[in-house]
Amino acid sequence: MSGSPGPDPTPPPLIQPGATARWAKTAAVTRLSALDQSGNLNTAHVTLAAATLGCSPRTVWRWIARARATGETTTTRAKFTITPEIRQLLALWGGNASAVHRELVQHCKQDPQLPKAPSLATLHRALRRDLTAGYRAGLARGEAARRAFDVYGQRPKEYRNAAWEGDHTSVPVQVLVEGEYAQPSLTWFIDCCTKVIMGVAVTPHTPSSDAVLAALRTALDRTMPFGPAGGLPNLVRVDRGKDFLSPAVSSSLGAFAVSVVDLPPYSPYLKGTIEALNDAVDQMLFVSMPRYVYRQKLIGGRVTDPDAPGLTFEAFVGLVLNWVHWWNTEHKPKELGGKTPMEAWRADPTPVYDVPASLLAHFGLQDDGRTRKIGTLGVQWRNRYYSGPWMVGLVGTPVVTRYLPHHDASIEVFDLDGRHMGTAVLSRAASKEQSRAVRNARTAQARRLRADLKAAEKLRRTRYQAATTAAPPQSLGALTQEQAEAELLETASEGRKVNPDYVPHQAVPEGWARPLTTKSPASRPDALEKNA
């Protein structure tokens, strides 16, 4: 009967391998070296350290001897590290570590003086140790991929109207606008504390400063459809949009001492409230609408029903306003603790500064500083007349006209004391049919010019035949000498063409009197005799 094996001289470690074990090893060697230098080191100290680290006492004595000889207490070996050159190679190969390893091996073969290339496993370990996951993703796919690994802070919750955030968002839905499909845009503002949508404006085209002013006007007004929320905010955060930073918007908000915070470009995390709202409306509303742009596709990128009828612009605006009302009065975001945004607004005791109606009538409007008079044809502005039924009996009254940017179909008329008198519309405005005919003519002309430019690009393009070896490219569509000379001759003749109405100069008839040629004084006969 064989005897039982003896006890294992190396006890199991109390510290698991890893970074903690390396730290404990360095700490033990540092402490034992200090005891050794003071003459207090004994076997019990070494045995305790060996049992904790899971190694034999002989190994610990060897570490102490190395520390006596070199004076270093760290026991880590030299590691392969990631250099800037390796990072550049990693970016060149799109984050492919295997390709970088092949490059390093090839460089070592070409230059024997270089140190030996690390193994692929060593390179992978070094990449994981020296580069963060976000940095590796950035080297492979760019800055947007790196940002996915960033940690973003959250602004402390304040009070209602402490800060608003505004933004444009392009709607991924094709809407029928005057017989043609277009993708409208939303311009809206949200209160960062209570998540109330303060105001919204919908445009069937790319929005401009007038959409910002329209949304701001509804946000400041505390009446329906967005009331009782409203009033003046302390500040408004935007992301460098030229429409939000236009003089019309800045002057309108600056008149109420409301600052516009211009955030850095391409930094959506700095206005996370409005960005979350943009994502929410896309997932909660737009995805269910007909002719949604990002609808699931069939094989080959084909849509299921390309001829599906779309919403009219009026129907689309109605659905958007209904969704905004649902968001404010029924939806309960997680951050509000079971309250709707409007309930959170009502529960906040922070005072609200209401904009008087007389001042709100001036908001966002511009004028040229001129005083005009109401005439028999109305008020003349920009060489056109604007009139309204309220002007009856007011001919000769001096007034001031104000207008919304990009809106020339109507103007607002005020007296010299700033009191709003009424709205005047353009007289003799073109009908919808005439305006549509003009737009169709402009579109046809633009389409014809685009076709001509495209045809010219095809004539300018040179095609080459496919190559299977490294040789100079061979052009296709070769010309004969006769064809080339004929085309050059035709081009030269076209370059010499002149206006057909041009009449060339004819020879002067013999019977016409001609002016005498003026001679210099030095060439006259009398001057020559005098000089002689």
Side-chain angles (χ1 to χ4, degrees):
M1 181 176 180
S2 61
S4 60
D8 188 0
T10 304
L14 300 179
I15 299 177
Q16 298 299 323
T20 304
R22 290 191 295 270
W23 168 86
K25 184 177 179 181
T26 302
V29 175
T30 303
R31 172 59 176 164
L32 295 177
S33 298
L35 292 174
D36 182 48
Q37 293 177 2
S38 64
N40 298 323
L41 181 65
N42 54 42
T43 306
H45 295 143
V46 176
T47 303
L48 177 61
T52 304
L53 299 175
C55 60
S56 64
R58 180 179 297 179
T59 302
V60 178
W61 283 113
R62 189 165 56 250
W63 294 343
I64 296 173
R66 186 186 301 113
R68 290 173 185 170
T70 62
E72 297 182 359
T73 58
T74 58
T75 59
T76 57
R77 294 177 298 176
K79 299 178 181 178
F80 173 77
T81 58
I82 300 301
T83 62
E85 291 77 11
I86 295 179
R87 293 201 306 267
Q88 295 172 7
L89 287 176
L90 197 65
L92 174 65
W93 289 101
N96 191 338
S98 299
V100 174
H101 181 258
R102 289 194 296 270
E103 287 271 359
L104 296 178
V105 173
Q106 185 66 23
H107 290 171
C108 292
K109 290 181 179 179
Q110 295 176 356
D111 190 356
Q113 297 181 356
L114 292 177
K116 182 180 179 181
S119 64
L120 182 59
T122 302
L123 179 61
H124 277 292
R125 284 195 301 268
L127 290 174
R128 290 192 297 267
R129 182 187 64 246
D130 297 344
L131 302 180
T132 63
Y135 198 86
R136 296 197 302 269
L139 290 176
R141 297 183 298 277
E143 174 63 16
R146 188 203 64 80
R147 286 189 179 186
F149 291 85
D150 285 349
V151 177
Y152 301 103
Q154 190 174 10
R155 290 189 177 95
K157 187 176 181 179
E158 295 180 308
Y159 49 88
R160 63 182 181 183
N161 282 356
W164 291 358
E165 291 179 357
D167 195 14
H168 295 308
T169 178
S170 179
V171 179
V173 176
Q174 293 180 343
V175 176
L176 200 59
V177 180
E178 294 187 355
E180 296 182 357
Y181 283 107
Q183 290 185 214
S185 298
L186 291 183
T187 303
W188 49 10
F189 293 87
I190 186 172
D191 181 62
C192 296
C193 176
T194 62
K195 307 297 186 294
V196 174
I197 299 177
M198 309 302 296
V200 61
V202 187
T203 52
H205 50 73
T206 303
S208 56
S209 59
D210 61 327
V212 180
L213 293 173
L216 275 175
R217 183 188 290 267
T218 59
L220 298 178
D221 192 0
R222 297 192 64 188
T223 60
M224 296 305 292
F226 303 104
L232 281 177
N234 291 345
L235 58 90
V236 178
R237 285 192 285 263
V238 297
D239 60 349
R240 296 187 62 85
K242 65 178 182 179
D243 306 321
F244 289 93
L245 300 178
S246 63
V249 177
S250 301
S251 60
S252 300
L253 290 176
F256 292 110
V258 177
S259 60
V260 179
V261 179
D262 183 13
L263 299 176
Y266 306 107
S267 303
Y269 53 89
L270 295 179
K271 52 181 184 68
T273 306
I274 192 69
E275 293 294 340
L277 179 63
N278 292 337
D279 294 339
V281 70
D282 184 77
Q283 299 173 8
M284 295 181 177
L285 179 64
F286 297 153
V287 70
S288 64
M289 289 185 173
R291 300 189 73 89
Y292 180 65
V293 175
Y294 302 122
R295 182 78 65 207
Q296 301 90 332
K297 303 292 179 61
L298 301 176
I299 296 178
R302 295 178 291 108
V303 296
T304 306
D305 187 7
D307 300 327
L311 295 171
T312 62
F313 182 73
E314 295 81 2
F316 172 77
V317 174
L319 292 177
V320 170
L321 295 180
N322 290 338
W323 186 87
V324 170
H325 182 267
W326 170 84
W327 173 278
N328 286 342
T329 59
E330 298 182 29
H331 179 57
K332 296 180 180 180
K334 184 189 305 182
E335 297 84 358
L336 299 182
K339 296 180 181 179
T340 65
M342 195 61 69
E343 290 174 348
W345 172 276
R346 295 177 184 272
D348 194 327
T350 305
V352 178
Y353 181 84
D354 292 325
V355 182
S358 58
L359 298 179
L360 191 60
H362 292 259
F363 181 81
L365 300 179
Q366 296 179 328
D367 63 68
D368 52 8
R370 293 177 54 188
T371 301
R372 295 174 171 81
K373 288 186 178 182
I374 299 178
T376 56
L377 298 179
V379 178
Q380 187 177 10
W381 180 69
R382 291 183 177 178
N383 297 325
R384 298 190 295 183
Y385 284 95
Y386 293 78
S387 60
W390 56 269
M391 292 183 179
V392 176
L394 299 178
V395 174
T397 304
V399 294
V400 176
T401 59
R402 297 174 65 85
Y403 61 94
L404 192 65
H406 309 290
H407 284 238
D408 55 359
S410 63
I411 58 175
E412 303 297 330
V413 182
F414 300 82
D415 61 13
L416 299 184
D417 296 329
R419 184 178 60 87
H420 184 232
M421 300 179 65
T423 302
V425 298
L426 180 64
S427 302
R428 301 183 61 183
S431 62
K432 291 185 178 181
E433 291 75 12
Q434 291 174 328
S435 300
R436 187 179 297 108
V438 172
R439 285 196 301 269
N440 293 338
R442 293 173 180 174
T443 303
Q445 188 174 7
R447 189 182 298 112
R448 184 166 56 252
L449 176 61
R450 186 163 55 248
D452 292 341
L453 295 177
K454 187 176 181 180
E457 289 295 331
K458 290 183 178 180
L459 294 177
R460 193 179 295 116
R461 184 184 308 162
T462 302
R463 297 180 63 88
Y464 298 91
Q465 59 181 323
T468 57
T469 58
Q474 301 293 329
S475 62
L476 299 176
L479 298 176
T480 62
Q481 294 184 359
E482 292 77 8
Q483 290 176 334
E485 292 176 357
E487 187 169 346
L488 291 175
L489 183 61
E490 182 181 356
T491 303
S493 62
E494 289 182 357
R496 292 194 298 267
K497 286 183 179 179
V498 296
N499 189 351
D501 298 331
Y502 172 73
V503 178
H505 292 288
Q506 303 293 334
V508 179
E510 293 295 335
W512 285 21
R514 301 187 180 187
L516 297 176
T517 303
T518 305
K519 298 181 179 180
S520 61
S523 62
R524 297 180 198 170
D526 55 350
L528 296 175
E529 294 176 359
K530 187 183 293 185
N531 293 334

